Amino acid sequence: MSETTQRDSIMRMARGAFEERVDYEMDKVIQNIIDPNTKATAKRKITLTIELTPDDERRQIQVSVTAKSTLAPTHPVATSLYVTGDENGEMVVAEMVPQVPGQLNLDGSQQEPPKLLKLVKHG
């Protein structure tokens, strides 16, 4: 190598595709950080895997870069279920609602009926 040859980062090789992959994962991490459904202070991580595979003569090296992000999970969402019977006597599971279905809220809206899951009989 001559003294006039400038060295560059491996991340700028492959016409900038390596760097682009890191930026892509960084965008996913930033979106996860600003998502109110995730814990604000949870650690996020970007892992780069650089694989180098030389040929038998050690003259050519295949380089592969993989960027992978580890994001914070969303906060858990909970509900309560109640096992009951429907109008036909079939067993169903109903989602608990905060008020009696049909009751008016203070804002004038009406409590929707609970969502029902039919139970499948086994055996």
Side-chain angles (χ1 to χ4, degrees), residues 23-33 69 71:
D23 291 344
Y24 177 78
E25 293 301 319
M26 185 65 177
D27 184 58
K28 288 172 38 178
V29 168
I30 296 300
Q31 291 301 317
N32 185 257
I33 289 170
S69 56
L71 307 175

Side-chain angles (χ1 to χ4, degrees), residues 72-85:
T74 56
H75 296 297
V77 177
T79 191
S80 295
L81 303 176
Y82 182 74
V83 180
T84 186

Side-chain angles (χ1 to χ4, degrees), residues 50-65:
I50 302 174
E51 292 182 347
L52 302 116
T53 309
D55 67 2
D56 288 336
E57 289 81 37
R58 298 187 173 125
R59 293 191 163 259
Q60 289 187 342
I61 304 168
Q62 292 295 317
V63 182
S64 156
V65 173

Side-chain angles (χ1 to χ4, degrees), residues 54-122:
D55 67 2
D56 288 336
E57 289 81 37
R58 298 187 173 125
R59 293 191 163 259
Q60 289 187 342
I61 304 168
Q62 292 295 317
V63 182
S64 156
V65 173
T66 305
K68 177 184 168 197
S69 56
T70 303
L71 307 175
T74 56
H75 296 297
V77 177
T79 191
S80 295
L81 303 176
Y82 182 74
V83 180
T84 186
D86 67 7
E87 61 275 357
N88 299 324
E90 297 287 325
M91 294 295 290
V92 294
V93 175
E95 182 177 24
M96 301 288 285
V97 291
Q99 300 183 117
V100 175
Q103 183 176 358
L104 291 178
N105 294 320
L106 292 175
D107 65 2
S109 63
Q110 194 175 39
Q111 175 64 57
E112 294 179 18
K115 303 213 178 352
L116 299 177
L117 301 171
K118 295 239 181 203
L119 297 178
V120 178
K121 293 182 182 179
H122 294 280

